């Protein structure tokens, strides 16, 4: 298959393995509909009306508090925001964790071919670890990092710390960041990694296109595109 060919060429060019840093919500986890339903269960208590999937994808952004401002047309006070965030997470936790179609098989195949994989999310760390364990992919990931504290405006600082924690064997230029938000691209650029975004997650294609990075439809396409970019750069530098 084409992916095997690309990986074989890359391996011959340099001994350093390719590393993939996965996003969770909307990327490995198939939860767009769950997020929309959880938000719509929260909005009436804030005086808001339910929104569509298309509106969610068009407006969703970090920090999440600003997303609520866009949806409601007003800013939330601190107590109101914390209550809304707690209610949203509680509603989301009631829904079963599902992976994107073919995600486990894709990850197993990558591991068999020597690709390192990790996961970085801005979801609360303890909840993230539990969700990843529940779908049986923890053993395929070298690290699983969520946010340890309050919501933050960007993933970039966490990405820097994440790559440092993975150790000196990680070459940022041979690291592929796969996500579903403009912020995932920003975080990738912060460490010199290759970002590829997909349009089946929490953000719509129109917004993702503003990031100016490769945009594909599926995580399978994202892997193939990102590895092709890394390979071509390696060959050009040889």
């Amino acid at each position: 298959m084409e992916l095997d060919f690309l990986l074989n060429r890359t391996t011959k060019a340099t001994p350093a393995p390719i590393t993939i840093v996965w996003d969770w919500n909307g990327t490995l986890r198939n939860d767009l509909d769950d997020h929309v339903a959880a938000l719509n269960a929260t909005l009436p208590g804030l005086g808001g009306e339910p929104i569509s999937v298309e509106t969610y994808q068009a407006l969703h952004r970090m920090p999440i508090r600003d997303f609520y401002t866009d949806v409601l047309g007003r800013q939330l006070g601190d107590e109101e925001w914390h209550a809304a965030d707690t209610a949203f997470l509680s509603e989301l936790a009631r829904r079963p964790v599902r992976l994107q179609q073919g995600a486990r098989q894709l990850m197993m195949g990558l591991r068999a071919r020597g690709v390192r994989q990790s996961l970085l999310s801005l979801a609360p760390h303890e909840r993230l670890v539990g969700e990843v364990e529940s779908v049986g992919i923890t053993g395929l990931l070298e690290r699983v990092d969520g946010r340890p504290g309050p919501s933050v405006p960007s993933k970039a600082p966490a990405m820097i710390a994440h790559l440092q924690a993975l150790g000196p064997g990680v070459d940022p230029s041979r690291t592929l960041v796969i996500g579903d938000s403009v912020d995932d691209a920003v975080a990738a650029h912060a460490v010199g990694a290759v970002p590829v975004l997909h349009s089946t997650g929490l953000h719509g294609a129109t917004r993702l296109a503003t990031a100016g990075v490769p945009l594909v439809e599926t995580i399978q396409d994202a892997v193939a595109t990102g590895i092709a970019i890394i390979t071509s750069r390696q060959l050009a530098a040889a």
Side-chain angles (χ1 to χ4, degrees):
M1 60 184 290
E2 182 180 358
L3 184 57
D4 287 328
F5 173 69
L6 291 170
L7 286 169
N8 287 337
R9 294 185 74 185
T10 302
T11 302
K12 292 176 182 177
T14 72
I18 289 175
T19 299
I20 296 178
V21 179
W22 294 99
D23 174 52
W24 180 236
N25 295 112
T27 298
L28 283 179
R29 180 173 177 177
N30 179 8
D31 58 354
L32 171 59
D33 290 341
D34 295 336
H35 274 249
V36 176
L39 178 66
N40 284 339
T42 306
L43 289 177
L46 301 170
E49 298 291 332
I51 64 173
S52 67
V53 169
E54 292 74 20
T55 299
Y56 186 100
Q57 287 184 309
L59 296 180
H60 188 272
R61 66 185 176 107
M62 300 297 293
I64 297 298
R65 187 168 181 171
D66 290 345
F67 170 48
Y68 272 80
T69 298
D70 294 342
V71 170
L72 294 168
R74 67 178 181 86
Q75 292 185 336
L76 297 178
D78 289 344
E79 288 189 15
E80 197 176 25
W81 156 241
H82 290 304
D85 191 42
T86 299
F88 172 85
L89 292 175
S90 177
E91 184 68 26
L92 191 63
R94 296 174 48 203
R95 302 174 184 278
V97 180
R98 297 169 292 126
L99 291 175
Q100 296 280 10
Q101 184 174 5
R104 182 181 288 103
Q105 293 84 349
L106 175 64
M107 296 174 71
M108 291 174 64
L110 288 166
R111 179 173 181 174
R113 293 168 177 83
V115 177
R116 300 178 65 179
Q117 299 174 84
S118 65
L119 191 154
L120 176 64
S121 172
L122 293 184
H125 181 73
E126 291 186 4
R127 177 169 65 85
L128 174 67
V129 169
E131 290 176 352
V132 173
E133 289 178 347
S134 74
V135 291
I137 61 170
T138 303
L140 299 173
L141 298 161
E142 294 192 21
R143 282 191 70 85
V144 176
D145 287 330
R147 61 175 171 86
S151 180
V152 294
S154 174
K155 186 183 278 189
M159 183 67 73
I160 294 170
H162 183 74
L163 258 62
Q164 289 175 341
L166 285 173
V170 174
D171 180 353
S173 70
R174 292 174 56 75
T175 298
L176 170 59
V177 174
I178 298 178
D180 67 334
S181 74
V182 173
D183 188 51
D184 287 312
V186 172
H189 287 314
V191 295
V194 174
V196 178
L197 304 179
H198 70 98
S199 59
T200 51
L202 305 185
H203 293 236
T206 300
R207 168 170 262 165
L208 294 175
T210 65
V213 303
L215 175 60
V216 298
E217 290 189 3
T218 69
I219 59 173
Q220 288 81 1
D221 293 339
V223 167
T225 299
I227 289 177
I229 292 171
I230 292 172
T231 302
S232 64
R233 289 180 179 177
Q234 181 67 39
L235 292 173

